[in-house]
Amino acid sequence: MENGGVSSEKQAGAGASYTYWVREATSDAAPLPVPKKLNPNDMISSQSQPAVLGSVWNRAGTWEEKNLNKWASDRIKELLTAVGSLEFSGGKAEITEVSNCSGDAFLVTVRNRKRVGYNYELTLKVKGEWIIGGEKKMVKGHIDIPEFSFGELDDLQMQVRLSEEKDLLQPDRLQITQDLKLFLLPVREKLLQFEQELRDR
């Protein structure tokens, strides 16, 4: 009885062509794969395939986001402190420091296409000197640039805050504020440069 059970099990196993452990080739089975040695031309053709954007693990080019905050903040500060000084009819001033540079910058790869973006707000420290009432006055202040994003630099806005100078009359303060707003153009040019560098990453 025991032997009979084993032989019937073997017969059932022999007739089951879907079992993976069956090693004997049958007439309707696919041929076994034959190894093929690669030649130098095969290597060249595989290397000449178009480069895939993104990480090595993301060869399909699906969604991948890279944080560029550190690079972007450092680069914005570097560009804006390099603006230099501006000359006005009654004085001159310069950006001494980027005291606030908060926001995000990122690079997204989606469907094997690269997209970049950012969103920032800035505060710039400025100092300068003006001839007021025949004497030279040192003035300090801040330029606030409210939130701006990729592709929106044409609408860049600027607000000027002067440090409290008790010996400055209101008309003089207004003139200095208007002068400092002339930093808008060189600041915008530097931010456009930043935007282009971000796009090229």
Side-chain angles (χ1 to χ4, degrees):
M1 178 114 185
E2 211 172 284
N3 291 341
V6 170
S7 70
S8 65
E9 191 178 33
K10 280 183 181 174
Q11 286 173 357
S17 62
Y18 57 84
T19 52
Y20 76 93
W21 59 85
V22 176
R23 302 240 177 234
E24 295 158 4
T26 59
S27 61
D28 62 337
L32 292 172
V34 179
K36 181 186 173 190
K37 187 174 182 180
L38 293 176
N39 61 39
N41 290 337
D42 294 329
M43 297 298 290
I44 291 168
S45 66
S46 69
Q47 290 172 356
S48 63
Q49 290 176 353
V52 178
L53 293 174
S55 300
V56 174
W57 58 264
N58 191 12
R59 288 298 175 202
T62 55
W63 180 275
E64 178 183 348
E65 185 169 338
K66 187 175 180 184
N67 181 316
L68 298 175
N69 291 352
K70 170 111 178 54
W71 171 84
S73 296
D74 290 348
R75 190 61 181 138
I76 287 172
K77 289 176 183 178
E78 186 181 352
L79 287 168
L80 293 182
T81 50
V83 165
S85 62
L86 288 187
E87 300 275 344
F88 314 112
S89 58
K92 64 179 181 178
E94 64 178 335
I95 296 170
T96 58
E97 184 189 342
V98 180
S99 57
N100 175 39
C101 180
S102 56
D104 296 298
F106 54 87
L107 185 153
V108 172
T109 305
V110 59
R111 294 182 183 168
N112 213 20
R113 289 187 179 178
K114 183 176 72 171
R115 294 177 184 159
V116 292
Y118 66 84
N119 192 309
Y120 270 89
E121 60 182 48
L122 304 170
T123 301
L124 315 175
K125 277 189 182 178
V126 290
K127 72 172 183 181
E129 53 185 39
W130 278 260
I131 305 297
I132 296 171
E135 61 179 284
K136 193 181 287 184
K137 301 263 186 190
M138 295 296 296
V139 179
K140 294 181 179 178
H142 295 85
I143 295 174
D144 296 315
I145 301 174
E147 192 174 2
F148 60 97
S149 304
F150 189 87
E152 297 180 0
L153 292 177
D154 288 343
D155 299 325
L156 197 67
Q157 300 293 318
M158 205 175 250
Q159 295 153 6
V160 176
R161 294 179 289 126
L162 296 182
S163 301
E164 289 302 319
E165 301 288 347
K166 293 179 181 171
D167 54 348
L168 280 180
L169 299 173
Q170 188 62 21
D172 298 327
R173 294 178 68 83
L174 284 172
Q175 182 58 53
I176 292 169
T177 300
Q178 289 305 313
D179 287 347
L180 290 175
K181 285 185 177 178
L182 295 175
F183 272 103
L184 182 64
L185 187 59
V187 165
R188 183 187 286 135
E189 285 174 3
K190 292 294 185 182
L191 291 176
L192 282 167
Q193 182 183 338
F194 160 75
E195 201 168 274
Q196 186 59 50
E197 289 178 14
L198 179 65
R199 194 183 279 122
D200 293 339
R201 281 185 73 81

